[in-house]
Amino acid sequence: MEAPIKLDQNESPYDLPPDLKERALERLRALPWNRYPDLHAEELRARLARAQGWPEDGVVLAPGSNFLVLALAQAARQVLDTAPSFAYYEGAAKVAGVPYRALRLGEGFALPLQALLEGMGEPEGVLFLSDPHAPTGRLFPEAEVQRLAARAAERGWLLVLDEAYHSFSGSDHRALAQQNPSVALLRTFSKAWSLGGVRAGYLLGAPAVARVVQALLPPFCIPAHTGVVLETVLEAPGHARDLALALAAERDRIFRALARHPSWRAHPSAANFLLVRTPDAEAAWQGLLGRGILVRRQDHLPGLEGCLRVSVGAPAENDAFLEAAFALAGAAPP
Ligand SMILES: *Cc1c(COP(=O)(O)O)cnc(C)c1O
């Protein structure tokens, strides 16, 4: 589906700056296209490891973190999840053919901590938890994440913290994962790095976990063209940092403006999107689309009746969204 204002996939609203794009293209031109890239993206993994302050043998790079989710599910005896959640955790468990269970978030999208700890009672499995959480935008208390990590270590589980949105919250679970080999992190270039189309994500974990995941990926799975783009952006990390800060400020501005809306309510978010509860998701979605704004319906998910997920766009796009949101409710502009 296309619309002039696209706020449905949590992408960056901006393409890579032209100077970075040009530098990547020059590198791509200079490469011999007849040659295979590194077997397991060794050079890129080394650069990522340096950039992240992580041991090289604990880094796995894949063409999107979705591939890492799939590999982790394939390596698991069972998959535990929260509900609602990022749809591909369940999708991957299905493809992998492993038992899957999801536990409902509580009031205010709180973690069902006790149920999750009990759920990790049986030995061995993978618990996927996005933090900030998708699609609610909630950032969980560090103490609760630490409880889950400790339980994972006790029971031979792996706690996978998906940090797809951490740049927008300033949160970072690297210290926890460094201390506890039962914790692995997933990160992506698709959001704050403005590279959704380039396809790249990575895992930071213990070497033993990285080895298992790497073995489930086919050889040469990072294409040369993805490689040159990553090399280029890793030399200019300030760009992603500044963008994440600007989008977080826009998110907070939209949140504050919606507080004055007569009937729509935004849930607090630490990500680059807002979950917005409306009286009627279908009507709201259609109304926005009629004004050229595409958002994502989430009202099919448990506990998300009436909800839309709205990505944070460029300021003018966010203004258009706010104007439409108020107009649809017959209210004066914000
Ligand atoms: C967007 C997103 C990703 C990114 O997946 P890629 O395959 O790297 O594009 C991962 N996890 C969550 C929860 C996301 O929302």
Side-chain angles (χ1 to χ4, degrees):
M1 173 111 31
E2 291 202 17
I5 298 181
K6 189 174 180 311
L7 303 178
D8 66 326
Q9 285 192 297
N10 300 345
E11 298 150 321
S12 163
Y14 308 109
D15 194 357
L16 215 55
D19 58 322
L20 289 183
K21 213 169 174 178
E22 198 47 49
R23 226 186 294 166
L25 286 170
E26 276 165 25
R27 279 184 159 134
L28 185 58
R29 215 171 280 122
L31 273 185
W33 291 11
N34 55 323
R35 301 300 177 195
Y36 276 101
D38 284 356
L39 183 67
H40 294 310
E42 281 77 4
E43 176 59 31
L44 271 168
R45 277 170 48 213
R47 287 180 193 225
L48 256 178
R50 274 198 300 277
Q52 296 291 325
W54 199 263
E56 207 175 309
D57 57 359
V59 180
V60 183
L61 188 61
S65 42
N66 278 308
F67 278 89
L68 298 165
V69 169
L70 178 57
L72 286 159
Q74 285 171 327
R77 291 238 300 254
Q78 55 179 316
V79 166
L80 191 58
D81 194 0
T82 53
S85 186
F86 182 57
Y88 195 57
Y89 301 150
E90 180 172 12
K94 280 213 176 102
V95 172
V98 295
Y100 170 88
R101 215 149 43 101
L103 301 171
R104 284 283 294 270
L105 297 178
E107 193 67 33
F109 303 134
L111 270 185
L113 188 59
Q114 212 48 47
L116 286 169
L117 294 172
E118 279 162 25
M120 287 193 277
E122 308 158 38
E124 286 184 47
V126 167
L127 167 58
F128 285 109
L129 185 67
S130 51
D131 192 34
H133 185 260
T136 65
R138 174 96 212 247
L139 185 69
F140 298 117
E142 183 65 26
E144 295 185 2
V145 177
Q146 282 171 2
R147 293 272 311 272
L148 294 175
R151 181 71 163 180
E154 274 166 34
R155 292 293 169 149
W157 277 64
L158 184 69
L159 170 62
V160 176
L161 296 172
D162 186 340
E163 294 195 302
Y165 300 103
H166 81 106
S167 323
F168 308 106
S169 62
S171 58
D172 181 346
H173 288 301
R174 273 180 301 178
L176 180 63
Q178 238 148 22
Q179 293 156 11
N180 185 338
S182 298
V183 177
L185 311 181
L186 294 182
R187 293 183 170 187
T188 180
F189 285 93
S190 298
K191 310 279 161 60
W193 291 84
S194 299
L195 294 176
V198 168
R199 311 305 304 131
Y202 58 99
L203 173 139
L204 300 178
V209 172
R211 245 188 329 270
V212 169
V213 171
Q214 185 70 72
L216 286 161
L217 297 174
F220 311 113
C221 78
I222 300 299
H225 46 274
T226 294
V228 294
V229 177
L230 295 188
E231 272 176 33
T232 305
V233 297
L234 284 173
E235 288 169 2
H239 167 252
R241 234 180 349 250
D242 295 349
L243 177 62
L245 286 176
L247 290 174
E250 275 296 287
R251 170 198 68 210
D252 295 342
R253 177 175 78 87
I254 305 168
F255 181 80
R256 284 193 303 271
L258 279 178
R260 293 189 297 274
H261 194 282
S263 55
W264 295 17
R265 282 289 158 267
H267 290 277
S269 170
N272 67 337
F273 59 84
L274 287 158
L275 188 69
V276 180
R277 206 175 285 270
T278 73
D280 180 344
E282 164 71 16
W285 185 86
Q286 283 292 352
L288 289 170
L289 191 61
R291 287 166 161 79
I293 302 165
L294 181 62
V295 301
R296 180 68 66 89
R297 282 180 69 167
Q298 301 281 271
D299 55 306
H300 58 289
L301 296 173
L304 301 192
E305 295 75 19
C307 284
L308 304 176
R309 193 194 67 197
V310 184
S311 309
V312 177
E317 296 176 315
N318 303 329
D319 286 342
F321 163 74
L322 284 171
E323 217 158 283
F326 280 75
L328 287 170

